Amino acid sequence: MLTALSMLAIAAQADYFSVRPDDRKPDFAGAKSGNDLAPSRAENYRQLLGVAEEPSLYQRSLRVGDAIRLTWLPTFHPAVTVRVEALSSPRPRLIARRLEGRAGFATSAVAGRVNRPLTPGEATALRALLVAGNPFIQQEAPDTGVRMSDGSGWLIEGVSGGVYHVIERSNPDVGPVHATGMAMLRLTGWKFANIY
């Protein structure tokens, strides 16, 4: 259950996705920083991340550190956030939350949590996957902006070297966003009847 203190902390970091146009600069991997997330979709994710008590990675990009987060928003199943902190360090950490309800609708609590260090093998595999298929470089078909009434939203955010990235796809079934999301969901150890 959310406490008054945690609600204040969430409100203080409500700026999850904002990026001023002059902040857009290329990073080391050739991806562009910034935010191409539609305002209505950003609000859906912002509410879900608040309930999950997740920090703003955009705000973190203003400080030192690195992180990558998947927010999986399926229509017919509970929403999930999976964050890996300090992947470039010798001790990366996995923080995951599964919310109650469907797609975060009427969600007011976290139903499951995972908070553990990644094994060296898990960290190496995730690093290699991100090098082989950086989800922030547009290697797959561009998002048309057409949204389906059913399906799932896959939001991947990353911060590295003070640069923030965000990409969202609806129902990806191939490409770097799908591969990254699937790898991150597997790290939780949770069993999902259907990942779409």
Side-chain angles (χ1 to χ4, degrees):
M1 195 57 137
L2 296 177
T3 65
L5 184 57
S6 64
M7 290 297 282
L8 286 174
I10 291 165
Q13 61 182 11
D15 192 7
Y16 279 97
F17 307 112
S18 296
V19 176
R20 295 185 315 268
D22 58 332
D23 286 341
R24 293 172 182 257
K25 58 186 176 186
D27 79 346
F28 64 92
K32 300 294 181 192
S33 65
N35 173 16
D36 296 321
L37 194 59
S40 62
R41 298 294 289 172
E43 185 56 31
N44 291 346
Y45 286 109
R46 186 177 291 112
Q47 289 174 4
L48 183 139
L49 291 167
V51 169
E53 301 177 26
E54 278 290 301
S56 165
L57 294 189
Y58 167 68
Q59 290 295 325
R60 180 162 303 163
S61 73
L62 305 175
R63 300 185 304 271
V64 178
D66 68 276
I68 186 165
R69 175 172 55 215
L70 164 72
T71 303
W72 180 48
L73 189 59
T75 301
F76 301 110
H77 297 89
V80 174
T81 64
V82 183
R83 178 169 35 104
V84 175
E85 294 282 346
L87 184 59
S88 63
S89 80
R91 285 176 272 200
R93 185 153 206 90
L94 173 76
I95 299 102
R97 294 179 175 97
R98 184 178 52 230
L99 301 181
E100 60 184 20
R102 290 183 178 177
F105 299 123
T107 295
S108 61
V110 175
R113 298 174 191 266
V114 174
N115 188 333
R116 66 171 180 84
L118 289 182
T119 67
E122 289 171 333
T124 299
L126 185 56
R127 286 184 201 112
L129 176 71
L130 292 170
V131 167
N134 185 334
F136 304 110
I137 296 176
Q138 299 297 314
Q139 298 172 348
E140 53 194 277
D143 193 351
T144 63
V146 175
R147 300 290 175 237
M148 298 166 49
S149 59
D150 292 331
S152 65
W154 296 49
L155 182 81
I156 298 181
E157 299 171 87
V159 61
S160 179
V163 180
Y164 172 74
H165 307 279
V166 60
I167 188 165
E168 186 212 24
R169 291 290 180 261
S170 295
N171 307 311
D173 57 1
V174 296
V177 169
H178 181 260
T180 301
M182 291 297 290
M184 293 182 76
L185 287 170
R186 279 191 297 272
L187 288 172
T188 67
W190 291 326
K191 302 297 180 214
F192 301 99
N194 192 7
I195 299 176
Y196 50 95

